[in-house]
């Protein structure tokens, strides 16, 4: 009989990259295993318990297939806390990039006739179906944020994740601004921090893989990108890549100065 | 004040001597047209014509992110030794940079003493260097284009020499360590210094009237200007990060998986962040961006004047130079003033 929190780690449709980040915590894995009771982690171990109640469930991936929705709802019933892990789980991610098109059309273009062999629904983040207690975004997630989240959850608390833009971390690290100096299509001002501005550190613009920061001022970002000569479709494509399902990133419904 | 001259041909040798006073940090190039203060090995690496670095000097003393102490249940807490160990020599601080540090000194060595800041500051030597303003500099308007205190040495370019003002006994030690490199001030040096000062003063292109600004800000509290800036502002935090006098920070704990140890950290905060004025229960005192923008300007140009007798803006132009959406403090203040005049 163990008093350690019972944990499950699951993946829906996606590349499973966030589960891989968990497995890549090589130096900390023993501490995690020591502090928790991992009951099921299908990607890493067989013979998991698929029925027991869970204290915490970590889920990566997007709801794309009907079976994802069923599994998600079942996990929600089993778990006290449900944690969305990765941009797919939090925002819909790459699978939700082309939600403007019908599923049938997308399936046909991607899979041809074999697309008829499986069912898909409009790709959506976990929060479209169930209550999510904590979101850890990133494509993939940052190992440090995951470990902080686990440590905080073990203490019965929620972690304090950045709620500010990538620009803040970019300037803290003193990287030259790629919007100003290079005129790149950088989403740093509207993307949530936590990556320590990894792409700008290599001279590459932020492509928004962590999803939008809360209250992102998209209309101002779009305006400044247009002034640099980017077309609405350049901008739209970049905005849609990782968080196409996010309401705040819909260019068609942009309101001037939201929450100004 | 002791004033001497350093011929430019002796400059590299002088910089070589400075190594014995600590690791030398000076402006170097980063990216296509940006500069940063960073460690240098010798004088040839130093970008003497750099107008402004991305981050101001606060980064050395008030770190973007730092561990305040490590803690462990049953054992107590311990401040990392790094905070107090290292000596550095900052070369190439412009007058506005030094004023920025003097303002941080007032705040961090005032009613509430910040030992982290002071421990690092006390281990640093500051060597100032004159500059030629570009069109974003408005330090003449903020009266920070010249500096009398806050440096150990201050170098002014007077042609083929530097006029060197010695500000502290540490500065004097630096000069004495390389005494043969320095000379007494001659009449032609005085003339050259005065001529250069006039040239510099006349090269300012940007000016704003700040004297009666606190009153005007109160009168224009409901101005449309704040709404307009709020619509443009991205809340990205850049202006605060790069501001020499933004000193807000946020404190938080990071826990280890063992359940009994961790560290308390602090990081630069910014009053434009949505969470900045969020309190328990979910109430946000400044939920709208326009009210946060207004707060930032009020703190710099209004509140700080009441507390310390001067605005905390030093006219360095970093906020304008780095703002992705191009918000220009001079433009904002000019608009506020013109509304008052109408």
């Amino acid at each position: 009989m163990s008093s350690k929190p019972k944990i499950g780690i699951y993946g829906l449709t996606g590349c499973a990259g966030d589960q891989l980040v968990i497995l890549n915590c090589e130096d900390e894995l023993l501490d995690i295993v020591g502090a928790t009771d991992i009951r099921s982690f299908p990607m890493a171990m067989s013979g998991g318990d698929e029925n027991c109640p869970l204290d915490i469930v970590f889920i990566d991936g997007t709801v794309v297939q009907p079976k994802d929705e069923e599994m998600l709802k079942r996990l929600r019933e089993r778990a006290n806390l449900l944690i969305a892990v990765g941009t797919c789980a939090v925002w819909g991610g790459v699978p939700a990039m082309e939600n403007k098109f019908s599923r049938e059309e997308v399936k046909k273009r991607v899979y041809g006739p074999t697309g008829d062999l499986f069912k898909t629904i409009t790709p959506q983040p976990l929060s479209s179906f169930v209550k999510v207690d904590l979101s850890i975004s990133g494509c993939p997630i940052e190992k440090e944020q995951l470990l902080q989240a686990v440590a905080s959850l073990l203490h019965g608390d929620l972690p304090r994740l950045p709620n500010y833009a990538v620009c803040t971390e970019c300037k803290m690290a003193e990287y030259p601004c790629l919007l100003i100096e290079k005129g790149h299509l950088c989403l740093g001002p509207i993307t949530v921090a936590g990556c320590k501005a990894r792409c700008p550190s290599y001279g590459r613009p932020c492509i928004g893989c962590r999803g939008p920061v809360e209250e992102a001022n998209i209309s101002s970002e779009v305006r400044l990108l247009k002034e640099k000569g980017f077309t609405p479709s350049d901008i739209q494509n970049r905005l849609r890549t990782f968080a196409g399902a996010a309401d705040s990133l819909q260019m068609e419904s942009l309101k001037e100065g939201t929450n100004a | 004040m002791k004033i001497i001259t350093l011929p430019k041909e002796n400059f590299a040798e002088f910089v070589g001597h400075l190594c014995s006073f600590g690791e030398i940090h000076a402006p170097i190039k980063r990216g296509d047209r940006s500069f940063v203060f960073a460690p240098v090995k010798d004088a040839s690496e130093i970008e003497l014509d750099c107008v402004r670095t991305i981050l101001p000097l606060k980064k050395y003393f008030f770190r973007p992110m730092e561990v305040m102490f490590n803690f462990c249940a049953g054992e107590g807490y311990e401040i990392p030794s790094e905070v107090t160990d290292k000596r550095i020599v900052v070369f190439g601080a412009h007058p506005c940079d030094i004023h920025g540090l003097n303002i941080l000194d007032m705040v961090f060595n005032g009613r509430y003493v910040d030992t982290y800041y002071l421990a690092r500051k006390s281990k640093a030597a500051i060597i100032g260097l004159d500059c030629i303003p570009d069109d974003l500099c408005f330090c003449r308007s903020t009266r920070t284009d010249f500096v009398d205190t806050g440096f150990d040495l201050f170098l002014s370019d007077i042609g083929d020499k530097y006029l060197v003002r010695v500000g502290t006994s540490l500065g004097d030690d630096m000069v004495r360590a390389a005494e043969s490199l320095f000379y007494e001030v001659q009449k032609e040096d005085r003339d050259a210094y005065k001529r250069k000062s006039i040239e510099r003063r006349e090269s300012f292109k940007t000016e704003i009237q700040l004297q009666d600004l606190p009153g005007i800000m109160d009168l224009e509290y409901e101005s449309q200007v704040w709404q307009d800036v709020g619509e443009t502002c991205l809340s990205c935090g850049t202006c605060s990060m790069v501001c020499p006098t933004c000193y807000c920070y946020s404190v938080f704990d990071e826990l280890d998986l063992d359940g009994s140890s961790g560290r308390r950290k602090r990081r630069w905060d910014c009053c434009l962040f949505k969470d900045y004025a969020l309190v328990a229960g979910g109430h946000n005192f400044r939920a709208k961006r326009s009210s946060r923008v207004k707060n930032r300007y009020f703190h710099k140009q209004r509140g700080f004047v009441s507390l310390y007798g001067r605005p905390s803006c030093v006219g360095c132009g970093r906020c304008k130079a780095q703002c992705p959406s191009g918000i220009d403090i001079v433009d904002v203040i000019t608009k506020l003033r013109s509304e008052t005049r109408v």
Side-chain angles (χ1 to χ4, degrees), chain A residues 160 168 174 181 217 220 258 260, chain B residues 32 34 59 232-233 236 250 290:
Chain A
R160 193 186 146 104
T168 295
E174 219 171 359
E181 197 165 299
N217 189 349
S220 184
T258 310
Chain B
D32 290 347
S34 297
K59 71 173 183 177
T232 310
C233 174
C236 72
S250 179
S290 53

Side-chain angles (χ1 to χ4, degrees), chain B residues 135 137-138 140-141 201 204-209 330 334:
Chain B
D135 51 5
C137 294
F138 59 102
R140 230 173 108 66
S141 306
R201 198 179 319 146
F204 280 93
K205 298 178 196 84
T206 304
E207 209 142 338
I208 38 169
Q209 162 83 355
V330 173
T334 306

Side-chain angles (χ1 to χ4, degrees), chain A residues 118-248:
Chain A
F118 55 89
K119 287 201 178 91
T120 74
I121 55 175
T122 302
Q124 288 166 81
L126 312 192
S127 59
S128 297
F129 301 91
V130 296
K131 176 173 172 269
V132 172
D133 298 296
L134 172 67
S135 295
I136 304 172
S137 74
C139 188
I141 53 165
E142 297 296 325
K143 176 184 144 178
E144 289 72 23
Q145 288 197 349
L146 174 86
L147 293 171
Q148 272 310 301
V150 173
S152 296
L153 291 166
L154 290 175
H155 280 75
D157 199 2
L158 288 174
R160 193 186 146 104
L161 300 176
N163 196 19
Y164 43 85
V166 169
C167 288
T168 295
E169 291 186 330
C170 188
K171 289 290 92 56
M172 278 179 162
E174 219 171 359
Y175 303 132
C177 178
L178 294 166
L179 277 162
I180 294 169
E181 197 165 299
K182 299 267 196 193
H184 284 335
L185 203 172
C186 185
L187 296 188
I190 55 166
T191 301
V192 72
C195 55
K196 300 196 165 59
R198 185 177 288 112
C199 295
S201 81
Y202 293 105
R204 306 296 302 161
C206 172
I207 56 174
C209 79
R210 301 180 52 75
V213 66
E214 196 181 351
E215 278 191 12
N217 189 349
I218 309 296
S219 64
S220 184
E221 171 80 5
V222 169
R223 190 187 315 127
L224 77 91
L225 291 174
K226 281 181 179 165
E227 281 167 12
K228 291 186 194 302
F230 294 104
T231 65
S233 89
D234 294 335
I235 302 167
Q236 177 84 78
N237 288 344
R238 180 66 48 96
L239 288 176
R240 254 191 220 155
T241 308
F242 291 94
D247 284 341
S248 62

